[in-house]
Amino acid sequence: MTRVLVVEDEPQLVRALEINLKARKYEVDSAQDGAAALQLAAARPPDAVLLDLGLPDMDGIEVLKRLRIWCRAPILVVSARTTSDEKVAALDSGADDYITKPFSMDELLARLRVATRRVAPAVRSADGGVVTTQAFTLDLLAKKARRDGHDVRLTPTEWHLLEVLIRNRGTLVTQRRLLQEVWGPTYRTQSNYLRVYMAQLRRKLESDPSHPRYLITAPGMGYRFEG
């Protein structure tokens, strides 16, 4: 089942969301503040997040930014804040959608379905979620990597980067697109992030990191996965 993390401090709204989501076969976790949300997301990674901005311990934008460091799940902001500046700030921080309170439950559920459909192909892109090469094997669903018969530990960000490249295997993915998908819109010019993480992935996965066979660089343009 699709797991949805509801981050909201209004008990009645949390209850209404839980009832409607569970009735449609979603699995639901809930947190009433930002700290609990971040802990829960790390312990039980969600497939989607419904995030209020007015939380008791920290602003929802801060929660959003912290989640976006490693979490690739769609994040839908559900907030009473209505100004365009606040909406733009949330979207620039990595939100996938912005829903203003009060809202129609049918509309929220429809937007949630759209958001989760957009990311589903990333998991299904490889046969059964498993990518096998002569050098290594990646299980995208179980988040397990093996090289030369040994387990290889990859960070959540490394997994996310690999998923984007594998989803577009054989095709150049631009630096700007990778940065936006993995780190969020505010990081679109931070190409040094990509150099660091691609170097780490090559050291962990490639037989000869200095002459990569699978994680290929197109200088000044982007990267592609060949496998």
Side-chain angles (χ1 to χ4, degrees):
M1 290 193 297
T2 300
R3 177 180 293 118
V4 179
L5 173 59
V6 176
V7 187
E8 172 61 61
D9 64 341
E10 297 180 27
Q12 290 183 331
L13 181 52
V14 172
R15 182 62 179 156
L17 288 168
E18 286 179 340
I19 291 171
N20 281 275
L21 290 167
K22 289 178 179 178
R24 290 159 178 82
K25 308 303 181 184
Y26 289 98
E27 186 174 344
V28 183
D29 292 328
S30 62
Q32 294 187 348
D33 59 50
L38 294 169
Q39 291 175 357
L40 193 52
R44 291 167 57 85
D47 299 301
V49 180
L50 299 178
L51 174 64
D52 182 26
L53 297 183
L55 300 172
D57 61 338
M58 68 177 75
D59 192 82
I61 295 292
E62 180 63 24
V63 178
L64 177 55
K65 290 178 178 178
R66 293 191 193 184
L67 283 174
R68 270 293 171 251
I69 294 172
W70 61 269
C71 178
R72 69 176 300 270
I75 300 175
L76 288 71
V77 168
V78 183
S79 175
R81 300 178 187 176
T82 59
T83 69
S84 60
D85 287 347
E86 288 166 326
K87 293 178 181 179
V88 169
L91 294 169
D92 281 347
S93 296
D96 294 86
D97 202 351
Y98 195 107
I99 302 164
T100 303
K101 297 178 182 177
F103 56 85
S104 157
M105 188 64 70
D106 287 340
E107 180 184 354
L108 182 144
L109 292 168
R111 293 197 187 189
L112 179 61
R113 288 194 297 271
V114 169
T116 53
R117 277 201 303 267
R118 279 201 299 263
V119 300
V123 175
R124 294 197 298 266
S125 60
D127 295 338
V130 177
V131 175
T132 302
T133 72
Q134 292 183 354
F136 55 85
T137 300
L138 304 172
D139 187 331
L140 301 179
L141 294 174
K143 294 291 188 291
K144 292 183 178 179
R146 290 182 66 82
R147 174 186 164 193
D148 299 328
H150 300 286
D151 290 337
V152 177
R153 182 185 176 278
L154 302 180
T155 68
T157 300
E158 289 169 346
W159 277 114
H160 191 176
L161 186 54
L162 279 172
E163 287 172 355
V164 177
L165 291 171
I166 290 169
R167 186 169 75 231
N168 299 277
R169 63 169 64 190
T171 302
L172 176 70
V173 184
T174 65
Q175 294 179 358
R176 186 181 180 90
R177 181 179 170 191
L178 280 169
L179 287 164
Q180 180 164 331
E181 289 205 34
V182 178
W183 284 275
T186 57
Y187 292 85
R188 284 177 293 190
T189 61
Q190 303 294 328
S191 58
N192 57 306
Y193 279 46
L194 288 173
R195 288 193 293 271
V196 170
Y197 275 87
M198 290 299 293
Q200 291 175 183
L201 282 170
R202 287 174 178 141
R203 284 196 298 270
K204 292 180 178 182
L205 298 175
E206 295 274 8
S207 298
D208 183 356
S210 61
H211 298 88
R213 177 177 176 183
Y214 304 100
L215 300 167
I216 309 300
T217 300
M221 298 174 64
Y223 301 86
R224 72 178 185 274
F225 179 84
E226 295 286 356

